[in-house]
Every structure is written in C-alpha cells, then in structure tokens.
C-alpha cells in the first residue's frame, strides 16, 4: 500500500530544514547502505549523531505525531530516527529492496522495517529528475511531492530514485516497524478506518453504524497487532 501524506511539515518547517541542510557537511550516502545497495547508491547523506541530524530528526518525528493520516496508514510501533540525503546532478539510487532489520546507531535496539518513508524537503520545481519509483502490484508508481509532503510504502517493495539532472533533491528517509506486520492487513485496516470516517461524516449523530464498524476495526487490530 502506497499512501501520499500531505503536510508532515509545514511550508515554513520544510523551508527551515532545507536551509539548514544546505549549509551542512555531507558524507557518502553508502555509509548506511547494505552490501548490494551500496553498488547502486550514488548520493550524499548527513552524518548520523550530529546535532543537526538530531534536531531535524526531532522536527520530522514531531510532524509525524501530528499526522492522523500517517498514523492510520502505518500504525507505527517504532520509528527509525530519520536520516537525510541529497541527490545532485548525475546522482541516483538504483533498484533495491531495503534491509529487513536496521540497527539504531549508538543503541542496542533494532527495528524490523515494515514500511519505508520518504519526506520531500526540496520544492519539486527546484530540480529535474529525482522521482522515487516504487514497484507494486499495479506497476510502477512515480512519486515527486511538494516540500513537507511524504510517501509511505511497503519496505518489501523494489524501488529506485531516478537520476537528478538539474538542481538538488533533499529528503528525509526512514523506516517504521508497524504494529501490523502484514501489508494486506494494514491495507484492510486503513481502508476500514477511512470508511468509518466517511460514514461518520454522512450519518446523523448517534447513528449506530459507525460505532459498530469501529468495534470491528479495534477487534481486528487487537487480533493482529504485535506490540512487544
């Protein structure tokens, strides 16, 4: 399930993050790549653990916490601390699948990467190319979003970043361990949640339908969720 999520960051927050990153030192993006990904990864990255990395990571996490759509689509249990990358002209990331397990730097903690997320920080008119291309059951989905908007998709997906041909593309990227491991179950719960919101808005107050459907939602969540 691929879901585009608007306004994880406000335009002002996205602009401040972009400006801070423009003045930051960058390292080779292969520092966080697996063995096979390193062969097709050609970008730059902010070093983990720096003050800027932590401050901007907290900014992104705050935005995620405000987004009801993100929570509904992902049902997060743990979120990997956001990373930040840049693609200059000629840079790209070839087709790959994200590592199944990620170690959180400086801690003994690991997360299972159920869902991948890219949060765009550069306005799309400021660069050419750089589309995120995700393979799913309906073919290729090409994603290039306004600054502050994000896309989430199964980490099992084969995906790539097209070469940038003008300007620079700056983004945050990270992974989520969901309470719901299975993508089809997450999709069903998301669709049910959106349907509940729709009928609640259309039916008169006190109607029993939304209450009954909400009970079904929570009983399915109770049956499927992993929270340990």
């Amino acid at each position: 399930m691929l879901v585009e999520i608007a306004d994880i960051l406000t335009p002002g927050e996205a602009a401040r993050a972009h400006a801070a990153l423009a003045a930051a030192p960058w390292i080779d993006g292969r520092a966080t790549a697996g063995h096979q990904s390193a062969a097709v990864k050609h970008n730059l990255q902010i070093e983990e653990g720096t003050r800027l990395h932590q401050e901007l990571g907290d900014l992104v996490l705050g935005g995620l916490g405000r987004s009801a759509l993100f929570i509904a689509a992902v049902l997060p249990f743990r979120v990997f601390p956001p990373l930040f990358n840049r693609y200059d002209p000629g840079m790209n990331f070839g087709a790959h699948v994200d590592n199944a397990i990620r170690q959180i730097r400086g801690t003994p903690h690991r997360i299972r990467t159920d869902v991948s997320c890219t949060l765009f920080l550069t306005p799309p008119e400021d660069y050419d190319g750089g589309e995120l291309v995700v393979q799913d059951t309906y073919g290729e989905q090409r994603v290039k979003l306004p600054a502050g908007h994000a896309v989430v998709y199964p980490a099992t997906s084969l995906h790539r970043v097209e070469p940038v041909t003008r300007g620079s593309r700056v983004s945050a990227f990270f992974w989520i361990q969901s309470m719901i491991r299975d993508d089809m179950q997450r999709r069903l719960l998301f669709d049910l949640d959106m349907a509940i919101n729709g009928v609640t808005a259309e039916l008169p107050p006190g109607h029993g339908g939304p209450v009954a459907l909400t009970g079904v939602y929570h009983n399915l969540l109770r049956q499927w969720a992993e929270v340990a």
Side-chain angles (χ1 to χ4, degrees):
M1 178 177 68
L2 184 151
V3 180
E4 296 180 5
I5 304 172
D7 300 321
I8 294 293
L9 298 181
T10 67
E13 288 173 331
R16 288 196 300 274
H18 188 272
L21 290 167
W26 295 85
I27 64 172
D28 193 322
R30 288 174 290 184
T32 57
H35 175 70
Q36 291 185 338
S37 295
V40 295
K41 186 177 186 181
H42 307 286
N43 65 6
L44 301 171
Q45 190 168 303
I46 292 293
E47 186 174 359
E48 293 181 78
T50 64
R51 181 175 179 180
L52 178 63
H53 170 247
Q54 294 171 345
E55 290 177 351
L56 293 183
D58 288 343
L59 178 68
V60 172
L61 293 174
L64 298 177
R66 298 191 301 262
S67 175
L69 183 58
F70 172 80
I71 293 170
V74 174
L75 294 170
F77 180 51
R78 295 190 179 98
V79 179
F80 192 89
L83 303 172
F84 299 88
N85 61 20
R86 189 180 88 198
Y87 292 82
D88 291 335
M91 293 183 178
N92 72 305
F93 198 161
H96 65 285
V97 174
D98 291 334
N99 291 350
I101 305 294
R102 303 288 306 199
Q103 177 89 34
I104 298 176
R105 181 174 174 170
T107 79
H109 304 301
R110 298 179 177 88
I111 75 164
R112 185 184 67 239
T113 59
D114 298 319
V115 181
S116 298
C117 181
T118 296
L119 170 63
F120 292 79
L121 295 174
T122 304
E125 63 271 16
D126 288 356
Y127 66 101
D128 293 332
E131 295 86 356
L132 172 66
V133 183
V134 181
Q135 291 271 14
D136 69 10
T137 53
Y138 301 103
E140 289 190 347
Q141 307 295 316
R142 303 178 69 87
V143 184
K144 186 175 182 178
L145 300 179
H149 294 212
V151 61
V152 295
Y153 56 96
T156 53
S157 304
L158 185 68
H159 59 285
R160 68 183 188 271
V161 176
E162 295 284 64
V164 169
T165 59
R166 177 186 65 88
S168 295
R169 172 200 192 265
V170 177
S171 303
F173 66 102
F174 51 95
W175 303 271
I176 304 98
Q177 180 173 332
S178 176
M179 292 185 287
I180 306 298
R181 180 195 297 251
D182 183 79
D183 180 57
M184 180 55 69
Q185 292 175 342
R186 283 198 309 275
R187 180 189 296 268
L188 290 171
L189 286 168
F190 178 71
D191 289 345
L192 180 55
D193 194 7
M194 295 301 100
I196 291 169
N197 291 339
V199 299
T200 299
E202 294 179 4
L203 293 174
H207 193 285
V211 175
L213 289 173
T214 300
V216 172
Y217 175 91
H218 283 285
N219 286 331
L220 288 173
L221 183 61
R222 187 175 290 112
Q223 181 175 353
W224 292 339
E226 302 175 11
V227 292

